[in-house]
Amino acid sequence: ETYEVFDAIERRAWPELKDELGDLLLQVLFYAQMASEAGHFDIADVAASLNAKLVRRHPHVFPPQEGPNAGRLAEAADAGAVLRNWEQIKQGERGSDSIMDSITPGLPSLLYAHKLLRKAASVGVDPGDVTASLDRVDAASAQLRDGHDDEAALGELLAATVALARARGVDTESALRGWSTRFRARFEQLERQAAADGVDLRALDPGAVAARWDASGDPAPAPHSGPT
């Protein structure tokens, strides 16, 4: 259901988004009802928990507070200080030793890497600016050209790309999804043109298909949904 919401957002399909958000909301209501029938919590508890969390983790927005977060960043602070404080509060709530504990390993790999870098940057371990990230991309590409271990070198190249995206203020998952949307649109355009010409792409030799591909041109770029 979440991926269907993403798809509707990227296509700016507002009527569909309304329906997809309803489907997603149904999951929240469904599991809250199951928990209520089992005697654990109900939907009101879910909303109250969210409200308390928002206040607890944002003392710079909701001062003053009671408890361990009282007075923290009550005055205006820069974005970096706010993020570091938020990470410290979240880690304290979980009682964990690592700020990475809140990142689910089951996330898609690009999104997972993006979140790892973001968490590390929140405490000062940053992969660097655009120039440093481009240098990492060049170094990883050179390793591949020199015949280094493909999996490790490709992993480094992808990680460098994620770092570059962060430095540019771009979400890698959204960027790749946008490219995929444009690629699919161009390929489907190629298919439609071939069908209009009475040509079966599967019957052509690769050179002829490549020529048609080059002539197809890029369709209009899809709307960008921005970072997630």
Side-chain angles (χ1 to χ4, degrees):
E1 299 297 352
T2 302
Y3 280 122
E4 289 176 354
V5 168
F6 287 164
D7 177 61
I9 291 173
E10 288 173 348
R11 292 186 290 107
R12 298 295 193 270
W14 301 111
E16 289 184 37
L17 178 58
K18 178 188 66 176
D19 291 340
E20 298 300 348
L21 286 172
D23 291 343
L24 186 60
L25 178 59
L26 174 61
Q27 302 305 311
V28 178
L29 297 174
F30 180 71
Y31 284 107
Q33 181 63 26
M34 289 178 62
S36 176
E37 292 176 3
H40 299 298
F41 58 82
D42 60 20
I43 190 64
D45 296 321
V46 173
S49 177
L50 172 61
N51 182 72
K53 183 186 296 183
L54 288 172
V55 173
R56 186 172 64 247
R57 293 184 180 178
H58 300 83
H60 58 291
V61 178
F62 302 103
Q65 297 183 36
E66 297 180 358
N69 299 332
R72 297 181 67 171
L73 290 182
E75 298 180 357
D78 62 54
V82 169
L83 180 58
R84 288 190 295 273
N85 189 57
W86 183 82
E87 292 288 2
Q88 292 168 5
I89 293 172
K90 188 173 181 180
Q91 185 177 352
E93 291 172 356
R94 293 177 178 270
S96 60
D97 296 325
S98 174
I99 63 172
M100 299 296 184
D101 287 346
S102 63
I103 305 177
T104 303
L107 290 170
S109 295
L110 286 177
L111 180 58
Y112 185 51
H114 186 97
K115 288 182 175 291
L116 289 175
L117 291 177
R118 187 182 69 186
K119 290 285 188 180
S122 71
V123 294
V125 181
D126 200 296
D129 57 11
V130 172
T131 300
S133 299
L134 284 171
D135 289 342
R136 288 185 63 184
V137 170
D138 291 341
S141 299
Q143 288 182 353
L144 287 169
R145 285 192 294 269
D146 293 341
H148 285 246
D149 178 69
D150 283 350
E151 183 173 339
L154 280 170
E156 178 60 32
L157 178 59
L158 290 169
T161 303
V162 174
L164 175 61
R166 285 195 72 258
R168 288 284 193 181
V170 175
D171 173 62
T172 325
E173 192 78 19
S174 296
L176 183 57
R177 181 174 290 272
W179 177 90
S180 299
T181 298
R182 293 189 296 274
F183 180 88
R184 177 172 179 168
R186 181 175 176 180
F187 189 85
E188 290 174 344
Q189 179 176 294
L190 173 69
E191 290 179 314
R192 288 193 296 271
Q193 185 59 54
D197 295 340
V199 174
D200 184 351
L201 290 177
R202 293 166 296 183
L204 296 179
D205 65 80
V209 175
R212 281 182 165 269
W213 174 262
D214 292 339
S216 66
D218 287 322
H224 178 54
S225 64
T228 57

